[in-house]
Amino acid sequence: MIPFMSMQTQTSTNMFKAKYSAPSNIALIKYWGKKDFQKPINPSISMTLKNCSTETEITYIPGEKLEIEFYLKDKKEPSFITKIEKLFGQMESEFPWIKKGRFEIHSNNSFPHSSGIASSASGMAAIVLCIFDINAQIKKIPFDLVNEAKRISEYARLGSGSAARSVYPFFSIWGKTKASEISQDSYAVGYNNFSDFFKSFCDTILIVNKDKKSVSSSEGHSLMDTHPYKEVRISEANRKLITLIEIMKSDDFSSFAECIEQEALELHSLMMTSNPSFILLEPESIRLIKEIRDLRKTGKKVSFTIDAGPNIHLIYPKSEFNSVKELCEIWQKENVIIDFIHDEIGMGPFKI
Ligand code: DP6
């Protein structure tokens, strides 16, 4: 569970340390397209994951000028520093100390790059959590993750849009929608009004291709700026989000599956019809999509969603776990998938 209060972890008068784990999330209704400053053109809803997460430790020594050292799995990775400096610049007005001093950042993802899961959501959320904690240590004030969740989400969003949704347990909504009066474009909110049936949901990532994806998220989002179907997309995403929220109040798995699958395929049809056009699905992805739908016809409670890549996220209640495991072994033996990663719904970030 999310710890209620942060313990003061200042190690000496001029050194501060904080360590957090933040989860990744899988969108069921996708954020695709930006407006203004890192705000979404349409609302999205995601499931917080449990096993796919980033652990980040920040050590901060106040000083005159900003110095950042970033390590990924104990290996120096200077390529991440520009993004972090940019985020710190955006946080400076509230945290004036952030541009003065030495930061040593150690980050570790629990999931392999090949999973297709972007580390930006969990990574950015973990960094922002550490900054909030260090700020509380500097100011000698308590830090309550739950009370501060919206502000953490707002800053995480500036680092990466989907990171806004990585600070809550279970499900999270980001972007203004008629379905929820509290949802906003500038931060995500936790979504709790769903049936207990969904509390046991799993996401098994079926890896069909380990190659780097051919469209980056930011490139992908910008395709929506001039997309001929932009207005239709915005209204469809809003409609589907409202529909999904209604479905999730009951245990209606087949309506849930139809809604999230239609959404995943819509994301890919938007990519196929944008200029330039991208086809990210592989023949194996299509085979899996068809098999999952056929399995559902036989009574299995399995469904899929897909991000901006070829891998398939198998979404299902835990009661199907054993049959999913068997299926994965068969798919692997038949070379339909290279690997699979099991994950399930998670409880959000926590202090380490
Ligand atoms: C297809 O959050 O990675 O996964 O804001 O540019 O960092 P940036 O984009 P990012 O986009 C995620 C796109 C998506 C759908 C989703 O997670 O909602």
Side-chain angles (χ1 to χ4, degrees):
M1 274 302 276
I2 295 171
F4 183 61
M5 285 277 181
S6 138
M7 298 288 291
Q8 298 297 304
T9 46
Q10 183 180 346
T11 49
S12 76
T13 34
N14 57 0
M15 189 203 267
F16 302 87
K17 248 186 209 296
K19 190 171 182 183
Y20 278 82
S21 167
S24 186
N25 66 77
I26 177 70
L28 303 175
I29 303 294
K30 315 284 179 182
Y31 147 52
W32 200 238
K34 302 185 191 198
K35 65 179 181 195
D36 306 332
F37 192 68
Q38 190 73 349
K39 288 184 175 167
I41 59 168
N42 66 269
S44 57
I45 181 168
S46 62
M47 181 170 108
T48 300
L49 297 179
K50 185 180 171 188
N51 303 330
C52 293
S53 61
T54 301
E55 267 185 28
T56 296
E57 180 175 64
I58 300 188
T59 307
Y60 168 64
I61 301 171
E64 280 310 304
K65 68 179 217 322
L66 178 65
E67 277 175 79
I68 301 174
E69 259 180 29
F70 185 86
Y71 296 82
L72 188 64
K73 271 202 169 155
D74 295 327
K75 200 176 150 260
K76 241 186 191 174
E77 283 287 355
S79 59
F80 285 78
I81 293 175
T82 317
K83 244 193 156 183
I84 296 169
E85 270 180 352
K86 193 171 159 220
L87 176 68
F88 282 7
Q90 286 154 345
M91 297 182 83
E92 193 181 1
S93 55
E94 191 174 340
F95 305 95
W97 53 268
I98 207 166
K99 293 297 276 294
K100 289 180 186 161
R102 189 174 180 283
F103 289 83
E104 194 175 302
I105 306 176
H106 286 263
S107 204
N108 206 342
N109 300 322
S110 67
F111 48 93
H113 184 68
S114 61
S115 61
I117 290 195
S119 56
S120 54
S122 50
M124 285 297 170
I127 289 176
V128 172
L129 280 157
C130 291
I131 296 298
F132 268 71
D133 193 299
I134 290 173
N135 184 59
Q137 293 174 42
I138 293 170
K139 296 197 176 136
K140 297 189 167 44
I141 52 170
F143 167 52
D144 181 340
L145 198 161
V146 178
N147 282 347
E148 299 278 24
K150 282 182 189 162
R151 289 196 322 128
I152 295 164
S153 170
E154 185 160 6
Y155 282 116
R157 172 201 117 226
L158 297 174
S160 174
S162 51
R165 301 183 310 234
S166 271
V167 294
Y168 299 98
F170 301 122
F171 296 95
S172 181
I173 295 178
W174 173 40
K176 261 196 201 130
T177 151
K178 287 192 190 113
S180 162
E181 278 158 20
I182 51 166
S183 67
Q184 290 290 336
D185 285 343
S186 50
Y187 55 80
V189 293
Y191 172 63
N192 303 312
N193 193 13
F194 56 88
S195 151
D196 277 355
F197 172 58
F198 292 96
K199 278 195 177 158
S200 77
F201 264 45
C202 300
D203 173 7
T204 296
I205 306 150
L206 308 173
I207 300 168
V208 303
N209 191 326
K210 291 197 182 193
D211 296 345
K212 199 178 173 308
K213 56 183 181 181
S214 54
V215 57
S216 72
S217 289
S218 38
E219 199 183 342
H221 290 294
S222 71
L223 295 172
M224 286 312 291
D225 295 345
T226 52
H227 202 292
Y229 300 141
K230 181 174 177 180
E231 294 312 317
V232 181
R233 164 61 187 162
I234 295 173
S235 86
E236 274 300 283
N238 274 277
R239 181 191 66 76
K240 276 187 277 188
L241 192 130
I242 292 170
T243 306
L244 190 65
I245 281 174
E246 274 313 305
I247 292 169
M248 288 175 68
K249 288 180 183 160
S250 71
D251 301 356
D252 181 357
F253 184 79
S254 68
S255 301
F256 170 84
E258 269 163 43
C259 186
I260 67 162
E261 291 180 3
Q262 202 181 64
E263 167 66 4
L265 296 176
E266 184 168 305
L267 173 75
H268 282 266
S269 42
L270 287 166
M271 284 186 275
M272 288 180 199
T273 50
S274 55
N275 189 6
S277 150
F278 291 93
I279 301 177
L280 301 184
L281 298 175
E282 296 290 339
E284 292 82 4
S285 322
I286 304 284
R287 178 170 160 187
L288 289 165
I289 288 171
K290 287 182 173 171
E291 283 196 29
I292 293 163
R293 286 186 161 174
D294 287 345
L295 283 162
R296 208 159 58 247
K297 285 188 197 133
T298 70
K300 290 248 173 297
K301 287 191 167 67
V302 287
S303 61
F304 66 83
T305 186
I306 322 166
D307 267 348
N311 298 332
I312 304 293
H313 291 249
L314 198 55
I315 309 288
Y316 56 94
K318 209 166 198 159
S319 53
E320 297 286 353
F321 179 75
N322 286 338
S323 48
V324 165
K325 206 166 158 266
E326 269 170 37
L327 277 165
C328 288
E329 278 153 17
I330 296 169
W331 283 326
Q332 203 169 17
K333 230 182 248 161
E334 291 178 359
N335 291 324
V336 185
I337 59 173
I338 291 164
D339 206 352
F340 56 94
I341 295 173
H342 176 69
D343 210 337
E344 58 189 72
I345 200 160
M347 297 301 291
F350 57 88
K351 186 179 171 83
I352 300 170

